[in-house]
Amino acid sequence: MTKEALRFQSTEDGHLTDEMKVAYERDGYIILENFVDPAICDSVRDHADKLVEEFDPSGVSTIFSTNERSHAKDDYFKSSGDKVRFFFEAEAFDENGELKQEKSKSINKMGHAMHDLDPVFKEFAYTDKLKKLAGSLDWKQPQLLQSMYIFKQPKIGGEVNMHQDSTFLYTDPESVVGFWFALEDATLENGCLWGIPNRHKEPLKDKFEYDADGNLILNTVNPCEWKMEDAVPLEVKKGTVILLHGHLPHYSAPNRSTKSRHAFTLHAIDATCDYPDHNWLKRGKNLPLVNWLDA
Ligand code: FE2
């Protein structure tokens, strides 16, 4: 039997109540409904659509038109930590480098610094309500390291395999927390998140890191098994935010429905923790991280 995920109504000013904190500690995630005004969700979606419309894919079509990993594709990703870049769905291009379907239906995600570079996403990421929420968690100096806009396109929106977010953003001691905002209803049909409650108390399984040759590899540091049948669907309404502990195993299924499933995510780390050089995401000196709560 599939378990029903526990959910809460967000507080008016965004702070976490003691009951919410207990649930987050116990389960490794927490669902806060009605956190973002639906009208704000709509305006952020419109803005993302406009950015895609303005984006000229000709400059990167050769990078993405091969299915194999290529140096150019890797470099485009590796240097995106302090930029706003567009990433295509697998198989978006044909063998001639032409998009198989319209551009707006071919983008998988945007990343990874919209929250500091784009005025609309900046306004979304640094509201008093969100700072209040972040300030309720047990860390000293949270900094917003990464933002992603995930389109989860109708019919072709790809699966995201089971993973822990700390795999991709590692600090010592570990501190990453994900904030997953539903900009549209996320359902079983259009590829909602799934998480395995309580497994965040286990060690980090993999580290996505640079090896000695400068290649990004997935390094398994603690082999363990996650059973899909232990996962719980996190179906949520537009305007909901889901907090994800950095060790919570989670995934999302492909979207085979006719509806998109737009989501915006933020990942924060504690500045008092070490951020080792082997992490993939780099920030240039021109875009230093700022204290989230004071920004
Ligand atoms: Fe994730």
Side-chain angles (χ1 to χ4, degrees):
M1 195 185 79
T2 307
K3 280 182 268 173
E4 178 76 18
L6 187 67
R7 51 198 71 225
F8 293 89
Q9 288 299 309
S10 89
T11 55
E12 200 151 323
D13 70 352
H15 82 278
L16 290 175
T17 63
D18 289 344
E19 194 190 359
M20 292 170 180
K21 288 181 194 173
V22 167
Y24 177 70
E25 288 299 320
R26 183 191 58 230
D27 297 335
Y29 70 87
I30 185 174
I31 295 173
L32 302 173
E33 296 181 328
N34 295 307
F35 189 87
V36 182
D37 188 320
I40 304 279
C41 295
D42 291 344
S43 66
V44 170
R45 279 180 47 214
D46 289 346
H47 180 65
D49 288 342
K50 186 172 138 267
L51 293 179
V52 170
E53 207 174 292
E54 291 167 358
F55 168 60
D56 176 6
S58 59
V60 298
S61 62
T62 52
I63 297 178
F64 283 92
S65 55
T66 166
N67 279 333
E68 279 103 69
R69 285 204 84 77
S70 67
H71 266 305
K73 200 191 279 183
D74 285 349
D75 288 345
Y76 184 77
F77 170 76
K78 286 174 182 172
S79 56
S80 66
D82 51 9
K83 298 180 183 66
V84 178
R85 286 200 166 152
F86 299 80
F87 298 87
F88 287 89
E89 288 288 349
E91 300 171 25
F93 293 92
D94 64 20
E95 62 274 18
N96 300 316
E98 302 291 332
L99 282 173
K100 289 191 214 165
Q101 50 189 356
E102 53 185 304
K103 182 177 62 174
S104 65
K105 296 283 184 288
S106 304
I107 305 276
N108 169 285
K109 68 173 183 181
M110 288 192 288
H112 290 94
M114 281 92 73
H115 61 290
D116 283 330
L117 292 172
D118 180 282
V120 172
F121 288 108
K122 194 170 188 172
E123 198 179 331
F124 186 95
Y126 291 96
T127 60
D128 288 343
K129 189 172 185 181
L130 195 44
K131 289 181 196 173
K132 198 86 175 170
L133 172 58
S136 301
L137 293 168
D138 186 22
W139 47 16
K140 295 186 180 73
Q141 279 181 53
Q143 295 178 322
L144 280 177
L145 180 59
Q146 171 181 272
S147 50
M148 291 188 284
Y149 190 100
I150 302 153
F151 291 85
K152 203 77 159 180
Q153 302 284 5
K155 307 273 193 193
I156 61 159
E159 174 182 16
V160 176
N161 292 331
M162 189 86 80
H163 66 279
Q164 297 160 303
D165 287 342
S166 290
T167 289
F168 300 96
L169 303 170
Y170 182 81
T171 65
D172 184 15
E174 290 183 51
S175 62
V176 69
V177 179
F179 297 74
W180 194 99
F181 299 91
L183 301 177
E184 297 180 295
D185 293 353
T187 65
L188 290 173
E189 288 72 35
N190 68 0
C192 68
L193 279 184
W194 292 68
I196 307 184
N198 213 295
R199 295 291 293 270
H200 62 296
K201 291 165 185 160
E202 295 174 13
L204 185 64
K205 183 181 178 219
D206 301 310
K207 285 166 88 173
F208 183 65
E209 58 188 12
Y210 282 103
D211 67 9
D213 299 321
N215 299 311
L216 280 171
I217 55 161
L218 198 62
N219 184 13
T220 299
V221 286
N222 286 296
C224 68
E225 203 188 326
W226 296 316
K227 292 198 182 97
M228 300 300 268
E229 60 262 36
D230 291 337
V232 171
L234 308 180
E235 287 188 282
V236 292
K237 290 270 176 223
K238 176 161 98 173
T240 300
V241 61
I242 305 176
L243 262 62
L244 296 162
H245 185 284
H247 276 211
L248 184 85
H250 60 284
Y251 78 98
S252 66
N255 182 6
R256 300 288 179 227
S257 79
T258 53
K259 289 189 176 136
S260 58
R261 193 229 63 189
H262 289 208
F264 181 61
T265 68
L266 293 167
H267 286 92
I269 55 169
D270 192 329
T272 63
C273 304
D274 184 41
Y275 183 72
D277 269 350
H278 59 64
N279 274 297
W280 83 266
L281 195 157
K282 310 286 184 204
R283 277 276 182 128
K285 288 193 176 62
N286 56 335
L287 196 66
L289 292 172
V290 296
N291 189 333
W292 193 4
L293 306 185
D294 296 341

